[in-house]
Amino acid sequence: MTGLKRIALDLFSYSTCSKPIFKIKNQTIPWSQQAKYLGIILDKKLTWQSHIASIKTKFRNVSRKLCPLIARSSDMRRRYKILIYTATLRPIITYVCPIWEAAAKPNIKKLEVLENNIIRQICKAGWYMRDEDIRKAIKLPPLKEFIKDISTKFYNNIENIDNEAIQRLDKYIPNSKSKRPCKILL
């Protein structure tokens, strides 16, 4: 096992063993329970709870701003409301989803609930209508299926990326007993 892989296993694990000490210009970098990098919140155990909570907050803030356009009382046509949803709100939920798609089912379920509530609002659906029927009527795939499609495209396209650092990485071969993102695509 290479040194970088060993460090990664030490950084994101359940173990309580001592962590390596990092220094920049002779100043020790303190350990944190989570860090934000390129819009992704990485927590110590990679549970993605804080990242999904952040997604929920962003989604709610943007949907409140768009409420006059997509609310039940809006006079805008449904297809334009769906276009607004798919262009502005869905990308908030699915940002870098190939990375965090292996999150626990309850975390993914929180995002599905957010999406279903907005879709119900857009379609002026009653409480008695099933989410699956609404999706079929507007031809919108479920969130899990959409994330799986994005992830499949991402993992299939990795070999075509010209980035030198990515080319040097070992080929990832999914293990059927692992909970890693590629395993879900099998």
Side-chain angles (χ1 to χ4, degrees), residues 78 82 119 123 129-140:
R78 183 188 321 165
I82 292 169
I119 290 172
C123 297
M129 297 179 77
R130 295 178 54 218
D131 293 327
E132 296 85 30
D133 295 337
I134 297 168
R135 287 180 183 286
K136 249 183 228 175
I138 62 174
K139 297 176 181 153
L140 191 69

Side-chain angles (χ1 to χ4, degrees), residues 10-11 19-22 29-34:
D10 288 342
L11 298 180
K19 303 290 182 192
I21 297 171
F22 293 107
I29 308 299
W31 279 98
S32 176
Q33 292 298 317
Q34 62 186 25

Side-chain angles (χ1 to χ4, degrees), residues 4 11 20 22 27 37 44 53 60-61 91-92 95 103 114 122 150 173 176 181 183:
L4 188 57
L11 298 180
F22 293 107
Q27 287 196 343
Y37 182 70
K44 183 179 182 231
R60 285 187 179 136
N61 290 339
I92 293 170
Y95 178 68
L114 281 177
I122 288 171
I150 290 173
I173 300 168
S176 61
K183 185 256 180 188

Side-chain angles (χ1 to χ4, degrees), residues 44-77:
K44 183 179 182 231
K45 297 178 184 177
L46 288 181
T47 61
W48 305 108
Q49 285 180 341
S50 51
H51 180 69
I52 291 189
S54 169
I55 290 173
K56 283 176 58 177
T57 304
K58 273 187 216 169
F59 186 87
R60 285 187 179 136
N61 290 339
V62 174
S63 63
R64 280 189 200 114
K65 290 175 184 172
L66 294 172
C67 191
L69 296 174
I70 61 175
R72 291 179 187 265
S73 59
S74 171
D75 292 334
M76 186 180 288
R77 297 174 104 181

